[in-house]
Amino acid sequence: MMQRWMAVMGLAGLLLARPVQAAEMPPIPGDAMMVTHVKLAKLWNTPGMEPYRKNMAAAGEQVLKMLDQRFHPAPSSVQTVTVFLPKPAPMAERFEPNPVVIITTSKPMNAAKVARSYMHPEDVVEKTPGKMYTNDDGKFVLAFPDDRTVIAGETQQVLPLLAGTYPRKGPIADLLSTVGDADLIVGVNRMAIPELPPDLPPAMQTLMAMRTASLTMSVSKTSQIRLAMNYANGDAAEEAKQVGEQFLALGGQYLATLKGPLLKELLVPEPTEGSTISGLPMATGALVGLGAINTVLEWLESPLLKVNGSSLVFELDITDGDLSSVVAASGVAAGLMVPAVSKIREAAARTQSQNNLKQIGLALHNYHDANNSFPPAIVYDKNGKALYSWRVLILPYMEQEAIYRQFKLDEPWDSPNNKPLSDVAIKIFRTPTSKTSTPNTTGYRLIIGNVGEKKTDLWRPLFGDGKSRTRFANITDGTSNTIMVVETADEVPWAKPDEIVMKPGQPLPKFGGYYAGGFNALFGDGSVRFISEKVDARVLRLLIAADDGIPIPNID
């Protein structure tokens, strides 16, 4: 799945087109959930983008030519990009977005080179030379209807487009027939979207009750941005207008509050003394942000919402100068926000991983309550052959009893019966920032063996040698002082009997690998703590050992 997403997003990322003539929107299933169509070439050639064209041209013709030679299709030839999300399959247990991307170019493409660029070269299967390429399992396809068009996506979604058997009618088809020849089109079929969260605030439910919605932008000397949300009737549209006006007012109030910190950054008490160069990015970002906020607040002074029949319409006219300013402000602000966004994502992933570990800890405790001991790290048969991991035994305690009941406990994890079950992705076992594209792997593993500093030490981890069953009474160092499960980027299939084996005097392996600064660890009492990568190795050994009797320094 990750490989397919990378291919799709890589194709959609070719956004550097230079002047070519725009093309019509390609065929889209009329019942699609969402569609985006961008005439990149035309947008790039507008007067408002002239400063950016000049900036790129200043890099030199040789550099631009090399850029075209490195990437396929050539960035300068990209004409339009269309992305759509198919309608979710009925009765699907969960919605997994599988976008289809269609790119048109002004020059012929080398299909084989495009395929090797966006799929792993060793996985490329040439179905029809110059026309169709799939990955090794045939589920993802790159199709070339002609030498200037490439379609990328799930095979089951792409083939109907090629055969012309896709649904021609539907809400999206009706919507696209009303938006005209805009340069940017985003269409949403709200009726095809899975149900909204039941705890959504009433005001948001009113706004989101539309049947379809479209966002368009047409670029000329005065560009127009238009959002139309289409409801069941005029009364619903009027209710949505009232909610929308409240949101715009609140948004304006919030933007106004942001001006204070930005002005504080710019209006320093004694500017004549100068500041260090490290403060320049923040000051520049504050200046750009302040200008953008003032521009938006000026727009909000005008009535932007109106009801037209059963539609709520938002319209905004932007001059070339405003468009250029908005693009510049967005670019600089986005650049300055990259580190912050990255940290936010990492923090969210850390929190999700901690929640996973807490669920694993709860399952282990419930297993202990039912069996008077924790499960063995590895289950062996009577001949000493390793069969499967402890994770199989805790499945009934984490709402996965259906899989557990099908598992043959006297067979290995990869036996003909158990292998399909072992391939099932268990969300709680999956680390949020997994480094693998295989969905059944886990980075939550146990430590077994002996973590002593010297060969004469006997520092037993909580799960001992992996065969024994540990009870709470065996954890004499205290459950809050003993690590039970660690994160490690060295992932294994969750059912495989493969844990981290330690020997006395052996260097500790590198735990974590997902986040900067350390790793999450589940302790015997069910708590989860973030362990710094700078923690002393001896202290970490003591935290892993369950019954060494040595006091542990405070590591918080």
Side-chain angles (χ1 to χ4, degrees):
M1 179 65 72
M2 182 61 69
Q3 177 185 339
R4 298 170 198 163
W5 267 100
M6 288 175 65
V8 168
M9 298 312 293
L11 283 168
L14 290 170
L15 306 181
L16 300 175
R18 295 198 289 273
V20 288
Q21 184 179 356
E24 298 298 324
M25 178 183 292
I28 300 296
D31 62 351
M33 187 173 72
M34 184 176 180
V35 60
T36 299
H37 178 69
V38 189
K39 296 180 180 178
L40 290 173
K42 183 178 178 182
L43 291 175
W44 182 248
N45 201 33
T46 58
M49 296 298 291
E50 184 176 4
Y52 309 101
R53 293 197 302 273
K54 288 183 176 180
N55 188 57
M56 283 191 62
E61 184 176 350
Q62 183 179 0
V63 173
L64 295 176
K65 185 177 180 180
M66 185 175 296
L67 191 70
D68 275 352
Q69 292 173 345
R70 284 184 59 194
F71 299 99
H72 304 280
S76 69
S77 70
V78 174
Q79 190 170 9
T80 66
V81 173
T82 306
V83 182
F84 73 84
L85 291 180
K87 179 182 178 181
M91 306 301 291
E93 292 186 5
R94 62 175 182 172
F95 170 64
E96 293 186 357
N98 293 308
V100 176
V101 176
I102 306 172
I103 291 179
T104 64
T105 62
S106 61
K107 300 176 182 178
M109 287 180 267
N110 184 315
K113 287 184 178 180
V114 174
R116 288 194 296 269
S117 295
Y118 294 99
M119 292 189 287
H120 293 307
E122 63 273 14
D123 293 340
V124 175
V125 178
E126 186 178 54
K127 293 292 186 179
T128 306
K131 290 292 186 180
M132 185 177 297
Y133 301 80
T134 70
N135 61 348
D136 54 0
D137 64 6
K139 294 182 179 179
F140 181 82
V141 65
L142 288 173
F144 299 83
D146 56 64
D147 61 4
R148 301 188 185 199
T149 305
V150 56
I151 306 176
E154 295 283 335
T155 303
Q156 62 181 354
Q157 303 295 342
V158 173
L159 292 184
L161 293 180
L162 301 175
T165 58
Y166 60 92
R168 303 299 180 98
K169 297 181 179 180
I172 281 290
D174 296 340
L175 186 70
L176 294 178
S177 68
T178 66
V179 297
D181 189 32
D183 303 312
L184 167 67
I185 300 172
V186 178
V188 177
N189 175 11
R190 169 65 187 85
M191 294 178 286
I193 296 177
E195 292 185 4
L196 297 173
D199 56 350
L200 199 67
M204 187 60 72
Q205 291 183 19
T206 299
L207 201 61
M208 295 298 293
M210 77 280 192
R211 294 186 169 185
T212 58
S214 63
L215 173 68
T216 61
M217 183 172 74
S218 299
V219 178
S220 58
K221 290 185 177 180
T222 300
S223 302
Q224 184 184 73
I225 297 176
R226 187 177 192 272
L227 171 66
M229 303 172 72
N230 308 304
Y231 294 85
N233 51 55
D235 291 340
E238 286 288 353
E239 290 183 22
K241 179 176 180 286
Q242 295 177 15
V243 173
E245 288 175 339
Q246 294 174 11
F247 279 142
L248 289 177
L250 290 173
Q253 294 173 15
Y254 175 71
L255 286 176
T257 64
L258 297 180
K259 293 174 64 175
L262 296 177
L263 286 169
K264 184 178 180 181
E265 180 66 33
L266 292 168
L267 303 178
V268 296
E270 298 181 7
T272 54
E273 291 189 4
S275 301
T276 61
I277 193 66
S278 61
L280 181 59
M282 185 63 72
T284 303
L287 184 64
V288 172
L290 186 62
I293 287 173
N294 286 335
T295 299
V296 173
L297 289 176
E298 184 178 341
W299 291 339
L300 291 176
E301 291 177 0
S302 304
L304 299 175
L305 296 177
K306 64 179 181 181
V307 172
N308 183 5
S310 59
S311 299
L312 174 62
V313 180
F314 169 98
E315 289 183 338
L316 180 66
D317 294 332
I318 306 174
T319 65
D320 278 341
D322 285 340
L323 182 62
S324 181
S325 298
V326 170
V327 172
S330 301
V332 174
L336 293 172
M337 285 297 291
V338 165
V341 171
S342 178
K343 288 188 177 182
I344 290 171
R345 287 177 176 171
E346 181 174 306
R350 270 179 57 176
T351 300
Q352 179 60 54
S353 187
Q354 289 171 351
N355 289 336
N356 288 349
L357 284 168
K358 288 177 182 178
Q359 292 298 315
I360 292 172
L362 181 61
L364 285 167
H365 277 226
N366 287 338
Y367 181 96
H368 188 289
D369 291 344
N371 299 277
N372 198 32
S373 74
F374 289 113
I378 296 173
V379 176
Y380 294 85
D381 66 12
K382 60 183 181 181
N383 298 318
K385 179 183 178 180
L387 298 179
Y388 45 85
S389 83
W390 55 280
R391 300 177 201 87
V392 173
L393 296 178
I394 67 170
L395 288 174
Y397 305 96
M398 45 188 290
E399 300 181 353
Q400 297 293 338
E401 189 165 359
I403 295 178
Y404 179 76
R405 287 185 177 277
Q406 299 176 66
F407 220 92
K408 290 190 177 180
L409 300 180
D410 58 348
E411 295 182 3
W413 70 283
D414 55 354
S415 69
N417 177 82
N418 292 341
K419 184 63 165 63
L421 301 171
S422 301
D423 288 341
V424 174
I426 306 294
K427 185 177 180 181
I428 293 176
F429 290 152
R430 182 74 167 168
T431 40
T433 49
S434 173
K435 307 294 184 180
T436 72
S437 59
T438 308
N440 71 328
T441 58
T442 182
Y444 304 127
R445 300 176 67 188
L446 307 181
I447 303 165
I448 58 178
N450 187 341
V451 294
E453 291 181 298
K454 303 184 297 292
K455 292 184 178 181
T456 55
D457 291 331
L458 182 57
W459 294 0
R460 191 184 72 93
L462 191 148
F463 285 85
D465 60 2
K467 300 179 181 180
S468 57
R469 289 178 174 267
T470 301
R471 297 178 173 83
F472 279 121
N474 303 130
I475 311 173
T476 56
D477 286 353
T479 55
S480 63
N481 295 323
T482 305
I483 289 177
M484 181 181 286
V485 182
V486 297
E487 286 178 328
T488 170
D490 184 14
E491 301 180 19
V492 297
W494 63 264
K496 186 178 181 180
D498 187 356
E499 302 304 326
I500 302 171
V501 181
M502 288 295 300
K503 296 179 180 179
Q506 175 185 347
L508 288 173
K510 182 175 176 58
F511 300 126
Y514 296 111
Y515 322 108
F519 63 95
N520 288 316
L522 169 67
F523 282 73
D525 62 351
S527 64
V528 178
R529 296 157 72 181
F530 190 75
I531 308 296
S532 171
E533 63 183 8
K534 298 180 181 179
V535 66
D536 183 79
R538 174 179 170 81
V539 173
L540 188 53
R541 289 179 187 274
L542 294 176
L543 287 171
I544 296 171
D547 56 1
D548 56 90
I550 303 174
I552 299 174
N554 184 11
I555 63 169
D556 294 325

